[in-house]
Amino acid sequence: MLELSVFQLNNYIKNLIDEDQLLFFVGVFGEVSNFKISGNNAYFDIIDEDAQISCIKFGATENEIQNGSKVLASGRVNYHSKYGKLTFIVSKVEPYGMGSLYTKFLQLKAKLEGLGVFDERNKKQLPKFAKTIGVVTSATGAVIHDIINVTRKNNPRTNIVLFPAKVQGEGAEDEIASGIKQLDKMPEIDVIIVARGGGSFEDLSPFNTEKVAMAVYECKTPIISAVGHETDFSLSDFAADLRAPTPSVAAQIAVFNYYDEIARIEDLMSGIKYRVRAKLSSSKNDVRNVVNEILIKLTTKINGISKMVVAKSKQIENQVANIVLNKKRELELLSAKIEKQNPMFILKKGYIKAYNNGILVKSVDDVKQGDKLSLNVVDGVITTQVIKGEKRWIMNRQ
């Protein structure tokens, strides 16, 4: 056995009633009993031979309903979960003689419901940012002015395309259905509003026809039905993707608030700027830390390299010094060797080099008597003349 609190049970019953579309708009006929007026509201019971139901009608007058009269009350069922009380919220009270018209309404409602025309699974999502709305209503009534005023107040950039149509009387259902179909063919239309002001059950009858209900159901563009007052329900309401209690509310739903959206975007931009600044600040700190870490590592590396370079330079310097010293020694040895082979070195020992016309004299055969010779000694040149040339000859100094 499931155990529930009183609140849980009452809330469960309320949810069942609120989700039942058949109870959104229903007619109850019977006799009025226990009628009384409190403020502008009427409280009474509708009874028959077998049962009774408590009713309330907002905005009623004393002459509108009388005890003992047989009526057809139209409205919706409401369950007050706090007190566990069921009440019938009445929108219209008509003499019971009107029952045949309402019976046809209920029969058509049942037929369309059986075809899935009212199925919630077929409802389309309304666009969040509608740029152009189409409206099917009277061109001369207050409804179109209310829709325009609300639209311009919320979003002056929204376009409105009106299909003027009769909303009651002969031919109204044809014009309403035609308007829906024509607007549905226009690709620039984002959402359609079908609307009219309040009136009697007969006045609203064009919106309770199969032709209008099917036109609403078959419309590929998201469509809002706003027919009559808040307590009025029509077949177009059930077939539409969304029902609005009044035409003004329909405009508020269909048109996004331009100013609110601008404010929302500005808030988003402010948030983004704040997060970007915070991220930049954090990134700067991260970069600064990374740079400092790199500098520390780089400084350590440079110091290590510098020490290595100094040591290597000292090593190279020592090696160069050794090489220079060795080369100097080699040079000294070479110089000494060269010095020994220098003719001047030989001349210093008393030797003489003789030249005959610039030709080195190497043999007696290189001269003849009378030749003038140049004798190179260590500190100068002596000119002499050959007197006689033998294998062993004598030179006279002039």
Side-chain angles (χ1 to χ4, degrees):
M1 179 182 66
L2 178 64
E3 295 182 357
L4 299 173
S5 66
V6 176
F7 171 79
Q8 289 173 327
L9 178 59
N10 283 358
N11 200 48
Y12 179 79
I13 295 172
K14 178 175 175 59
N15 289 335
L16 290 178
I17 293 174
D18 289 345
E19 292 175 1
D20 192 341
Q21 290 190 4
L22 290 176
L23 301 180
F24 285 176
F25 186 59
V26 65
V28 177
F29 58 89
E31 184 177 319
V32 176
S33 177
N34 299 321
F35 176 83
K36 63 180 179 179
I37 288 284
S38 178
N40 292 325
N41 303 325
Y43 299 87
F44 57 97
D45 297 328
I46 294 180
I47 64 174
D48 59 17
E49 295 178 355
D50 302 312
Q52 71 179 45
I53 186 169
S54 297
C55 304
I56 180 172
K57 186 176 188 301
F58 300 106
T61 62
E62 291 187 9
N63 297 329
E64 185 177 359
I65 305 170
Q66 295 180 354
N67 281 323
S69 59
K70 292 184 177 182
V71 298
L72 173 64
S74 304
R76 61 183 177 88
V77 177
N78 178 66
Y79 184 78
H80 200 293
S81 59
K82 183 175 182 179
Y83 301 105
K85 184 177 180 180
L86 188 144
T87 305
F88 188 60
I89 308 298
V90 178
S91 58
K92 282 188 178 64
V93 177
E94 301 168 301
Y96 184 59
M98 294 291 293
S100 60
L101 181 61
Y102 188 71
T103 299
K104 291 180 180 179
F105 165 81
L106 293 179
Q107 290 174 345
L108 179 56
K109 183 173 182 289
K111 174 186 174 181
L112 295 176
E113 189 168 22
L115 295 174
V117 174
F118 308 146
D119 196 331
E120 289 292 328
R121 292 173 296 182
N122 297 326
K123 305 297 184 185
K124 296 179 287 297
Q125 189 74 26
L126 297 181
K128 186 175 181 179
F129 301 107
K131 295 181 180 179
T132 303
I133 62 173
V135 180
V136 179
T137 191
S138 171
T140 58
V143 169
I144 185 60
H145 296 291
D146 291 342
I147 291 176
I148 290 173
N149 290 336
V150 171
T151 300
R152 293 291 176 260
K153 179 181 178 181
N154 290 339
N155 192 340
R157 297 172 180 268
T158 302
N159 300 317
I160 299 175
V161 178
L162 171 66
F163 187 96
K166 293 175 63 177
V167 291
Q168 72 180 70
E170 186 177 353
E173 62 179 290
D174 294 327
E175 292 190 14
I176 295 168
S178 177
I180 294 170
K181 293 176 181 178
Q182 290 298 319
L183 292 177
D184 192 32
K185 294 177 181 178
M186 300 173 65
E188 66 272 22
I189 301 294
D190 297 310
V191 63
I192 297 173
I193 297 176
V194 179
R196 72 147 286 158
S200 66
F201 189 73
E202 294 92 334
D203 293 337
L204 304 181
S205 60
F207 298 90
N208 289 320
T209 61
E210 183 172 358
K211 181 176 289 187
V212 171
M214 291 305 297
V216 171
Y217 171 69
E218 293 171 352
C219 183
K220 293 181 175 57
T221 305
I223 189 166
I224 302 173
S225 177
V227 178
H229 296 302
E230 185 172 357
T231 55
D232 294 323
F233 283 85
S234 64
L235 296 181
S236 64
D237 292 337
F238 297 123
D241 297 305
L242 185 70
R243 182 238 176 200
T246 65
S248 296
V249 173
Q252 290 178 337
I253 295 172
V255 179
F256 72 94
N257 191 297
Y258 175 80
Y259 307 101
D260 289 347
E261 197 61 29
I262 291 297
R264 186 184 70 84
I265 292 173
E266 289 177 348
D267 288 341
L268 286 174
M269 292 299 295
S270 297
I272 291 172
K273 289 178 180 178
Y274 174 79
R275 288 191 290 272
V276 168
R277 290 194 187 101
K279 187 65 177 176
L280 285 174
S281 178
S282 176
S283 298
K284 286 180 180 179
N285 291 332
D286 293 341
V287 170
R288 189 178 294 110
N289 292 335
V290 170
V291 169
N292 290 336
E293 184 178 349
I294 291 173
L295 287 175
I296 292 172
K297 290 181 179 180
L298 187 59
T299 302
T300 303
K301 189 72 173 177
I302 290 173
N303 290 337
I305 293 173
S306 178
K307 291 179 181 180
M308 184 180 69
V309 168
V310 170
K312 197 70 176 176
S313 297
K314 191 67 177 177
Q315 181 183 357
I316 292 172
E317 184 179 340
N318 293 335
Q319 290 176 347
V320 169
N322 291 332
I323 292 172
V324 169
L325 182 60
N326 291 334
K327 292 300 180 182
K328 183 178 180 180
R329 289 175 181 173
E330 291 178 3
L331 182 60
E332 289 175 351
L333 293 174
L334 182 61
S335 297
K337 186 177 181 180
I338 293 173
E339 182 66 22
K340 288 180 180 181
Q341 295 179 358
N342 189 345
M344 297 301 294
F345 180 78
I346 298 173
L347 294 178
K348 284 179 181 180
K349 291 183 178 182
Y351 292 96
I352 297 174
K353 293 182 70 175
Y355 291 90
N356 186 5
N357 292 325
I359 299 173
L360 181 64
V361 177
K362 296 180 181 180
S363 171
V364 175
D365 297 333
D366 293 336
V367 299
K368 63 181 180 297
Q369 187 176 354
D371 287 341
K372 289 183 178 181
L373 302 180
S374 295
L375 305 179
N376 289 355
V377 294
V378 69
D379 58 352
V381 179
I382 300 172
T383 302
T384 187
Q385 188 173 25
V386 178
I387 299 174
K388 182 179 180 181
E390 298 177 353
K391 290 296 179 179
R392 297 187 62 87
W393 43 266
I394 299 173
M395 294 178 289
N396 293 323
R397 187 169 183 177
Q398 298 293 322

